[in-house]
Amino acid sequence: MNYRHHYHAGNFADVMKHVFLVAIVRALQEKPKGLLLLDTHAGRGDYDLAAAAAGDSRPRQPEHPLGIGLLAARAEAPGEAAPPPAVREYLRLVRAHAPGGERYPGSPQLLARLARPQDRLFLCELQPDEFAALRRGLGRRPQVSVQPVDGYTSLRSVLPPPERRGMILIDPPFEALEEWQRLRDALTQGVNRFPSGTFVIWHPVTARADADRLGDDLAAQPGPPAWSCRLLVAPEAEGMRGCGLIIINPPWTFMPEAPQILKALGRLLRRNQLGETQSRWLRRES
Ligand code: SAM
């Protein structure tokens, strides 16, 4: 496992994923009952943006200026339309994590800030250094369980949760060829075990059609409602053109704001006028 998320921390893909995470968790929290927040591929939770640019052996082009950097600058620029509440709350949480902007919070830190006393976090991270950092950051909180386990197996071992309410973020590195197949199998098992859970799956959009295939497969199978959205900010030739989320059981109070959030992200994260957004229902309520 060579993947290190700190090179990508705060990039456009993190911003999209984290803004939607805030919106979805807040919508689920409109009901008072406690939630399980399961992060199957948690990462270290806290990223030093200067260290990411230094690289391991040679300097790297930092990715955060075209992610959180653009969004923060444009969201409050004179003449820009006011961003939706989820974008504003996301920015508030990022700034609460590091007021000077020198660090960026990963999904576990954002979830910890969003959690109410009745909510519970279960965080999985396999890479030993990332796991150690995650445990240092969040391991002592009573509501948080940090585990050095394969996140895909947690979909079997942790679901269904006793709370019967939950949000599951599945955010793999997509380095290994077999990742899509593992994701597909684990997702099927997870949804079978916890059909009312809200599953949020992040995926890259590249010239390969894997993400289309996953969406088409879901569309062809019976199951809970599933909505897909994408943000495309780079030309096709650049490898990763953009990224997307597939959301199974999106909360019904989230859906009216979801198109506005997506549109705002396209506007705030556009590069050279490219900020295309796409969305579609893969499956509707039956
Ligand atoms: N979710 C994080 C966020 O939004 O801040 C970013 C996670 S990063 C894309 C993927 C993480 O998954 C890496 O830290 C990697 O070490 C870890 N990882 C890879 N395979 C894993 C597996 N099977 N189970 C748990 N963690 C895994």
Side-chain angles (χ1 to χ4, degrees):
M1 242 183 1
N2 294 320
Y3 183 87
R4 289 292 183 281
H5 190 68
H6 70 252
Y7 296 128
H8 310 295
N11 71 1
F12 79 94
D14 259 6
V15 172
M16 181 201 191
K17 170 179 61 187
H18 293 155
V19 167
F20 274 107
L21 203 59
V22 169
I24 290 166
V25 171
R26 284 304 188 216
L28 288 169
Q29 288 175 332
E30 283 175 31
K31 289 191 181 151
K33 198 164 183 294
L35 291 168
L36 167 72
L37 302 170
L38 166 59
D39 195 341
T40 62
H41 296 70
R44 64 193 295 123
D46 170 47
Y47 299 94
D48 176 342
L49 294 177
D56 285 337
S57 51
R58 63 192 162 82
R60 290 175 66 117
Q61 186 72 27
E63 295 182 18
H64 61 88
L66 290 178
I68 180 67
L70 272 186
L71 184 104
R74 287 180 176 156
E76 284 149 8
E80 283 281 351
V87 174
R88 292 204 300 272
E89 181 165 19
Y90 157 80
L91 272 173
R92 186 180 64 71
L93 295 172
V94 170
R95 287 173 179 154
H97 184 76
E102 67 288 356
R103 310 187 73 81
Y104 183 80
S107 49
Q109 283 283 350
L110 290 170
L111 291 174
R113 284 178 188 278
L114 289 166
R116 304 163 300 175
Q118 65 268 43
D119 299 329
R120 182 166 68 90
L121 270 67
F122 194 99
L123 311 171
C124 309
E125 174 54 52
L126 261 191
Q127 208 284 331
D129 296 340
E130 304 296 283
F131 167 73
L134 182 62
R135 193 169 55 178
R136 275 197 304 279
L138 289 173
R140 292 218 189 94
R141 304 220 187 162
Q143 292 165 276
V144 181
S145 174
V146 182
Q147 298 294 332
V149 297
D150 182 338
Y152 290 126
T153 62
S154 74
L155 296 172
R156 288 199 301 273
S157 57
V158 177
L159 301 182
E163 296 90 342
R164 299 280 159 178
R165 301 194 66 229
M167 191 283 313
I168 299 100
L169 173 64
I170 308 179
D171 182 21
F174 291 98
E175 276 197 324
L177 278 180
E178 67 272 15
E179 189 90 68
W180 288 95
Q181 193 52 49
R182 290 202 70 199
L183 167 62
R184 201 181 302 252
D185 294 346
L187 183 63
T188 305
Q189 288 182 338
V191 175
N192 281 341
R193 295 183 68 85
F194 186 29
S196 61
T198 294
F199 293 76
V200 180
I201 302 113
W202 180 90
H203 63 78
V205 176
T206 63
R208 289 168 53 102
D210 305 274
D212 295 342
R213 268 199 294 277
L214 178 61
D216 292 345
D217 280 3
L218 287 171
Q221 293 160 12
W227 186 71
S228 150
C229 62
R230 291 181 178 190
L231 170 65
L232 306 173
V233 291
E236 193 133 13
E238 273 186 29
M240 190 162 107
R241 295 173 61 206
C243 64
L245 294 172
I246 292 175
I247 305 168
I248 296 178
N249 288 316
W252 66 271
T253 51
F254 153 79
M255 276 322 296
E257 59 171 332
Q260 279 102 314
I261 295 173
L262 186 62
K263 199 168 146 214
L265 290 173
R267 178 168 54 77
L268 295 166
L269 294 170
R270 70 190 184 278
R271 294 183 205 165
N272 304 323
Q273 302 312 313
L274 184 57
E276 186 187 335
T277 59
Q278 301 170 350
S279 64
R280 68 175 172 132
W281 280 100
L282 302 172
R283 278 194 308 238
R284 283 185 183 271
E285 196 89 53
S286 50

